[in-house]
Amino acid sequence: RLYTKYHIMKITNLRLYQVPPRWLFLAIDTDDGITGWGEPVIEGRSKTVAAAVNELSDYLIGKDPGQINAIWQTLYRGGFYRGGPILMSAIAGIDQALWDIKGKAV
């Protein structure tokens, strides 16, 4: 868990940046002012992966970004259908951003 003595960090916002011709970057913001960055993209399908990240964002808001493995398991196993390149790219970008937050917090 990422926390101070009396406070557990929480995810407050996800921002996506589409960079032509084919890149997508994700910023995950926390209530402690730390932003983590990830790259959830499949070449040529950045809009589709962005839609997948947006679908997952409701679950992420308010979560402790230090619970990386628990978040990954829920995102991967929580839906009726699992896997596929779009979902896995979205999860990978989120995972990268969460590890970036953890690295900046410690």
Side-chain angles (χ1 to χ4, degrees):
R1 302 190 102 162
L2 297 179
Y3 58 90
T4 60
K5 187 173 181 182
Y6 301 106
H7 172 75
I8 296 175
M9 190 184 303
K10 293 191 181 350
I11 296 170
T12 58
N13 191 37
L14 282 79
R15 295 175 283 129
L16 290 163
Y17 297 93
Q18 205 155 5
V19 180
R22 63 186 162 269
W23 295 288
L24 182 67
F25 297 98
L26 166 67
I28 296 181
D29 300 316
T30 68
D31 61 346
D32 282 359
I34 297 173
T35 299
W37 289 89
E39 188 179 3
V41 70
I42 293 176
E43 188 163 334
R45 298 284 180 244
S46 61
K47 290 179 185 176
T48 308
V49 177
V53 171
N54 284 326
E55 291 269 336
L56 300 171
S57 67
D58 287 342
Y59 170 77
L60 294 167
I61 302 297
K63 295 289 186 271
D64 174 0
Q67 298 296 306
I68 299 168
N69 290 329
I71 290 171
W72 192 97
Q73 290 292 333
T74 301
L75 295 178
Y76 179 69
R77 299 184 191 288
F80 183 78
Y81 296 105
R82 293 186 193 163
I86 301 299
L87 178 61
M88 295 311 297
S89 293
I91 292 173
I94 292 166
D95 192 57
Q96 290 167 4
L98 295 177
W99 280 108
D100 190 33
I101 291 168
K102 190 165 194 168
K104 290 174 179 176
V106 293

